[in-house]
Amino acid sequence: MTATSLDALQRLLPEGMVVTDPDVTDSYARDRTFCAPGTALGVVLARSREDVVTTLRWASEHRVPVVPRGAGTGLAGGATAVEGGVVLSLHKMTAIRELSPADEIAVVEPGVITADLDRAAREHGLMYAPDPSSYEISTIGGNLATNAGGLRCVKYGVTRDSTLGLEVVLADGRVLETGRRTVKGVTGYDLTGLFVGSEGTLGVITAATVRLRRAPLVPPATVAAEFPTLVSAAEAVAAVIAAGCQPSLLELLDRATLKAIDDWRNIGLDPDTAAMLIAQSDASDGQAAAERMAALFEEKGASFVAVSSTPEEAEELIGVRRLAYQAKERLGACLVEDVCVPRSRLPEMIAAVEATAARHEVPIFTVAHAGDGNLHPVFVFEHGLAEPPPHVWAAADEVFRAALDLGGTLTGEHGVGLLKRRWLDLETSPVARELQHGIKQVFDPLGIMNPGKAI
């Protein structure tokens, strides 16, 4: 790659769209992990599909790696710059091209903030269901890249479940349209599903047709419960699912996480509380469902149970959950993971995490989308280190192996990125790896799309 070639890209795009200032370029080189990025040649601040087409045609001609990037909120190293490549930023592509209440769909560009789409939908009595904890800053494009979930995924599923169709620019600059505007459709292979979760390794998503859902007519009923042990809280989760309560949210926080939040925001943590569950029901009989969940929590040994009486109380409880990651970041550098196990195995997985923390003397802070069996154990280590020390990696390895032994997976919603590639062979078979690399070759024969990530 030569400076002359980058000059050519600058001539092809509007003035100021290609940024080469090292300080600016470095600010686009990282996500929220400790993963060290390569040195990018520059950043393209795309504003339209045509800008993306131009960039990828140029990149293919000059064999330059391209790393698509949204808001940089990823937790797996998937959007970190690669050496000698270009970061293709999509955060300025913020148009909601269409919002159709009649069809309950929206067509949005990748830079749209997740919460902004939800707010736009609610003006029509609808909602956008996926809501990762970073929903106020994360983008739809980033959610699509990792197949993000969120707090409501126990009822409404992950991003793929709300994605009907995509507009994608392929590595050579061709534009592909996948999927449909209808809820049903089985024509051909599911290319839409293939791109969702592909972490920018197959092409660049420039628009998505997403499914909207009817917003609840009344505010969800919310339950909070405190437990004397983490395992008893996990058992309460299993009881709620087995009873068919169908919560729209079911979140777990361990004591370490609660103490980090309490030290920061003074939430009045009881010294005997080892775990907290926060549950919601947005069904038409939500209050009755909440009372049923409260009774099940008490049966499983909760030391305190409360059903919210106002939307403001409910929002305060959900706000506690959304503070979890920031509270941990204050304590040290974080290795954030998101193993997922069958819901019936959640108590065993919780016990395994606790045992690992004790065995390796590593602080592990756990929150979970408990209704999905999706845990986020966060390994905290000293600020300033380039990467986790060996005993932290050993603890993480043990947690991953425990999840797989319980029939689970290495990642439920954060993606593989750079962080989890070392464990991929534990979950994927040689046949699966061969097919995945074959798919990559079909869509990206030159290997320029986010190389070194995901597979």
PDB file of all heavy atoms in Angstrom, residues 143-160:
ATOM      1  N   ASN A 143     -24.963  -3.704  16.250  1.00  0.00           N
ATOM      2  CA  ASN A 143     -25.852  -4.766  16.749  1.00  0.00           C
ATOM      3  C   ASN A 143     -26.001  -5.876  15.722  1.00  0.00           C
ATOM      4  O   ASN A 143     -26.009  -7.067  16.067  1.00  0.00           O
ATOM      5  CB  ASN A 143     -27.227  -4.201  17.082  1.00  0.00           C
ATOM      6  CG  ASN A 143     -27.236  -3.174  18.200  1.00  0.00           C
ATOM      7  OD1 ASN A 143     -28.220  -2.482  18.392  1.00  0.00           O
ATOM      8  ND2 ASN A 143     -26.138  -3.054  18.939  1.00  0.00           N
ATOM      9  N   LEU A 144     -26.123  -5.488  14.443  1.00  0.00           N
ATOM     10  CA  LEU A 144     -26.230  -6.486  13.386  1.00  0.00           C
ATOM     11  C   LEU A 144     -24.935  -7.285  13.253  1.00  0.00           C
ATOM     12  O   LEU A 144     -24.957  -8.502  13.045  1.00  0.00           O
ATOM     13  CB  LEU A 144     -26.555  -5.802  12.054  1.00  0.00           C
ATOM     14  CG  LEU A 144     -27.958  -5.200  11.928  1.00  0.00           C
ATOM     15  CD1 LEU A 144     -28.008  -4.210  10.773  1.00  0.00           C
ATOM     16  CD2 LEU A 144     -29.004  -6.299  11.718  1.00  0.00           C
ATOM     17  N   ALA A 145     -23.813  -6.605  13.378  1.00  0.00           N
ATOM     18  CA  ALA A 145     -22.525  -7.274  13.191  1.00  0.00           C
ATOM     19  C   ALA A 145     -22.296  -8.374  14.212  1.00  0.00           C
ATOM     20  O   ALA A 145     -21.681  -9.405  13.904  1.00  0.00           O
ATOM     21  CB  ALA A 145     -21.391  -6.250  13.261  1.00  0.00           C
ATOM     22  N   THR A 146     -22.798  -8.180  15.436  1.00  0.00           N
ATOM     23  CA  THR A 146     -22.559  -9.163  16.496  1.00  0.00           C
ATOM     24  C   THR A 146     -23.800  -9.966  16.873  1.00  0.00           C
ATOM     25  O   THR A 146     -23.731 -10.813  17.764  1.00  0.00           O
ATOM     26  CB  THR A 146     -22.034  -8.458  17.760  1.00  0.00           C
ATOM     27  OG1 THR A 146     -23.017  -7.528  18.220  1.00  0.00           O
ATOM     28  CG2 THR A 146     -20.727  -7.733  17.475  1.00  0.00           C
ATOM     29  N   ASN A 147     -24.925  -9.683  16.215  1.00  0.00           N
ATOM     30  CA  ASN A 147     -26.193 -10.306  16.591  1.00  0.00           C
ATOM     31  C   ASN A 147     -26.488 -10.041  18.069  1.00  0.00           C
ATOM     32  O   ASN A 147     -26.739 -10.947  18.861  1.00  0.00           O
ATOM     33  CB  ASN A 147     -26.203 -11.811  16.309  1.00  0.00           C
ATOM     34  CG  ASN A 147     -27.591 -12.415  16.390  1.00  0.00           C
ATOM     35  OD1 ASN A 147     -28.591 -11.733  16.230  1.00  0.00           O
ATOM     36  ND2 ASN A 147     -27.651 -13.710  16.645  1.00  0.00           N
ATOM     37  N   ALA A 148     -26.441  -8.763  18.435  1.00  0.00           N
ATOM     38  CA  ALA A 148     -26.587  -8.364  19.833  1.00  0.00           C
ATOM     39  C   ALA A 148     -27.958  -8.746  20.382  1.00  0.00           C
ATOM     40  O   ALA A 148     -28.941  -8.856  19.652  1.00  0.00           O
ATOM     41  CB  ALA A 148     -26.372  -6.854  19.952  1.00  0.00           C
ATOM     42  N   GLY A 149     -27.999  -8.910  21.687  1.00  0.00           N
ATOM     43  CA  GLY A 149     -29.247  -9.267  22.362  1.00  0.00           C
ATOM     44  C   GLY A 149     -29.750  -8.127  23.212  1.00  0.00           C
ATOM     45  O   GLY A 149     -30.223  -7.123  22.725  1.00  0.00           O
ATOM     46  N   GLY A 150     -29.615  -8.271  24.517  1.00  0.00           N
ATOM     47  CA  GLY A 150     -30.053  -7.223  25.417  1.00  0.00           C
ATOM     48  C   GLY A 150     -31.002  -7.725  26.479  1.00  0.00           C
ATOM     49  O   GLY A 150     -31.266  -8.928  26.606  1.00  0.00           O
ATOM     50  N   LEU A 151     -31.547  -6.788  27.240  1.00  0.00           N
ATOM     51  CA  LEU A 151     -32.348  -7.142  28.407  1.00  0.00           C
ATOM     52  C   LEU A 151     -33.685  -7.777  28.035  1.00  0.00           C
ATOM     53  O   LEU A 151     -34.218  -8.589  28.780  1.00  0.00           O
ATOM     54  CB  LEU A 151     -32.582  -5.888  29.273  1.00  0.00           C
ATOM     55  CG  LEU A 151     -31.446  -5.506  30.231  1.00  0.00           C
ATOM     56  CD1 LEU A 151     -30.157  -5.193  29.498  1.00  0.00           C
ATOM     57  CD2 LEU A 151     -31.852  -4.329  31.101  1.00  0.00           C
ATOM     58  N   ARG A 152     -34.253  -7.403  26.877  1.00  0.00           N
ATOM     59  CA  ARG A 152     -35.572  -7.947  26.511  1.00  0.00           C
ATOM     60  C   ARG A 152     -35.483  -9.223  25.674  1.00  0.00           C
ATOM     61  O   ARG A 152     -36.506  -9.740  25.215  1.00  0.00           O
ATOM     62  CB  ARG A 152     -36.367  -6.891  25.730  1.00  0.00           C
ATOM     63  CG  ARG A 152     -36.870  -5.731  26.574  1.00  0.00           C
ATOM     64  CD  ARG A 152     -37.903  -4.914  25.829  1.00  0.00           C
ATOM     65  NE  ARG A 152     -37.354  -4.183  24.709  1.00  0.00           N
ATOM     66  CZ  ARG A 152     -37.166  -2.871  24.678  1.00  0.00           C
ATOM     67  NH1 ARG A 152     -37.452  -2.144  25.744  1.00  0.00           N
ATOM     68  NH2 ARG A 152     -36.684  -2.278  23.607  1.00  0.00           N
ATOM     69  N   CYS A 153     -34.266  -9.746  25.473  1.00  0.00           N
ATOM     70  CA  CYS A 153     -34.143 -10.876  24.541  1.00  0.00           C
ATOM     71  C   CYS A 153     -34.775 -12.156  25.065  1.00  0.00           C
ATOM     72  O   CYS A 153     -35.078 -13.060  24.282  1.00  0.00           O
ATOM     73  CB  CYS A 153     -32.682 -11.112  24.161  1.00  0.00           C
ATOM     74  SG  CYS A 153     -31.571 -11.335  25.556  1.00  0.00           S
ATOM     75  N   VAL A 154     -35.028 -12.259  26.379  1.00  0.00           N
ATOM     76  CA  VAL A 154     -35.665 -13.456  26.903  1.00  0.00           C
ATOM     77  C   VAL A 154     -37.037 -13.674  26.261  1.00  0.00           C
ATOM     78  O   VAL A 154     -37.474 -14.817  26.068  1.00  0.00           O
ATOM     79  CB  VAL A 154     -35.782 -13.376  28.445  1.00  0.00           C
ATOM     80  CG1 VAL A 154     -36.629 -12.194  28.883  1.00  0.00           C
ATOM     81  CG2 VAL A 154     -36.357 -14.665  29.006  1.00  0.00           C
ATOM     82  N   LYS A 155     -37.724 -12.598  25.875  1.00  0.00           N
ATOM     83  CA  LYS A 155     -39.035 -12.723  25.248  1.00  0.00           C
ATOM     84  C   LYS A 155     -38.983 -12.487  23.741  1.00  0.00           C
ATOM     85  O   LYS A 155     -39.661 -13.184  22.971  1.00  0.00           O
ATOM     86  CB  LYS A 155     -40.025 -11.738  25.874  1.00  0.00           C
ATOM     87  CG  LYS A 155     -41.434 -11.815  25.277  1.00  0.00           C
ATOM     88  CD  LYS A 155     -42.422 -10.945  26.034  1.00  0.00           C
ATOM     89  CE  LYS A 155     -43.825 -11.065  25.441  1.00  0.00           C
ATOM     90  NZ  LYS A 155     -44.816 -10.263  26.186  1.00  0.00           N
ATOM     91  N   TYR A 156     -38.187 -11.511  23.314  1.00  0.00           N
ATOM     92  CA  TYR A 156     -38.247 -11.070  21.924  1.00  0.00           C
ATOM     93  C   TYR A 156     -37.088 -11.546  21.053  1.00  0.00           C
ATOM     94  O   TYR A 156     -37.081 -11.309  19.856  1.00  0.00           O
ATOM     95  CB  TYR A 156     -38.320  -9.540  21.873  1.00  0.00           C
ATOM     96  CG  TYR A 156     -39.574  -9.005  22.509  1.00  0.00           C
ATOM     97  CD1 TYR A 156     -39.546  -8.416  23.775  1.00  0.00           C
ATOM     98  CD2 TYR A 156     -40.804  -9.099  21.868  1.00  0.00           C
ATOM     99  CE1 TYR A 156     -40.692  -7.922  24.366  1.00  0.00           C
ATOM    100  CE2 TYR A 156     -41.959  -8.610  22.447  1.00  0.00           C
ATOM    101  CZ  TYR A 156     -41.899  -8.022  23.705  1.00  0.00           C
ATOM    102  OH  TYR A 156     -43.043  -7.545  24.289  1.00  0.00           O
ATOM    103  N   GLY A 157     -36.111 -12.211  21.662  1.00  0.00           N
ATOM    104  CA  GLY A 157     -35.007 -12.725  20.870  1.00  0.00           C
ATOM    105  C   GLY A 157     -33.920 -11.690  20.626  1.00  0.00           C
ATOM    106  O   GLY A 157     -33.969 -10.561  21.108  1.00  0.00           O
ATOM    107  N   VAL A 158     -32.921 -12.093  19.840  1.00  0.00           N
ATOM    108  CA  VAL A 158     -31.764 -11.250  19.562  1.00  0.00           C
ATOM    109  C   VAL A 158     -31.975 -10.489  18.254  1.00  0.00           C
ATOM    110  O   VAL A 158     -33.039 -10.561  17.636  1.00  0.00           O
ATOM    111  CB  VAL A 158     -30.489 -12.110  19.521  1.00  0.00           C
ATOM    112  CG1 VAL A 158     -30.169 -12.639  20.912  1.00  0.00           C
ATOM    113  CG2 VAL A 158     -30.646 -13.265  18.538  1.00  0.00           C
ATOM    114  N   THR A 159     -30.963  -9.759  17.820  1.00  0.00           N
ATOM    115  CA  THR A 159     -31.100  -8.889  16.650  1.00  0.00           C
ATOM    116  C   THR A 159     -31.549  -9.664  15.411  1.00  0.00           C
ATOM    117  O   THR A 159     -32.376  -9.173  14.633  1.00  0.00           O
ATOM    118  CB  THR A 159     -29.767  -8.169  16.378  1.00  0.00           C
ATOM    119  OG1 THR A 159     -29.448  -7.351  17.518  1.00  0.00           O
ATOM    120  CG2 THR A 159     -29.861  -7.278  15.154  1.00  0.00           C
ATOM    121  N   ARG A 160     -31.011 -10.845  15.212  1.00  0.00           N
ATOM    122  CA  ARG A 160     -31.406 -11.637  14.036  1.00  0.00           C
ATOM    123  C   ARG A 160     -32.912 -11.873  13.991  1.00  0.00           C
ATOM    124  O   ARG A 160     -33.517 -11.913  12.917  1.00  0.00           O
ATOM    125  CB  ARG A 160     -30.654 -12.970  14.026  1.00  0.00           C
ATOM    126  CG  ARG A 160     -30.933 -13.811  12.777  1.00  0.00           C
ATOM    127  CD  ARG A 160     -30.154 -15.120  12.772  1.00  0.00           C
ATOM    128  NE  ARG A 160     -28.741 -14.903  12.489  1.00  0.00           N
ATOM    129  CZ  ARG A 160     -27.750 -15.203  13.319  1.00  0.00           C
ATOM    130  NH1 ARG A 160     -28.035 -15.724  14.514  1.00  0.00           N
ATOM    131  NH2 ARG A 160     -26.495 -14.995  12.983  1.00  0.00           N
TER     132      ARG A 160
END
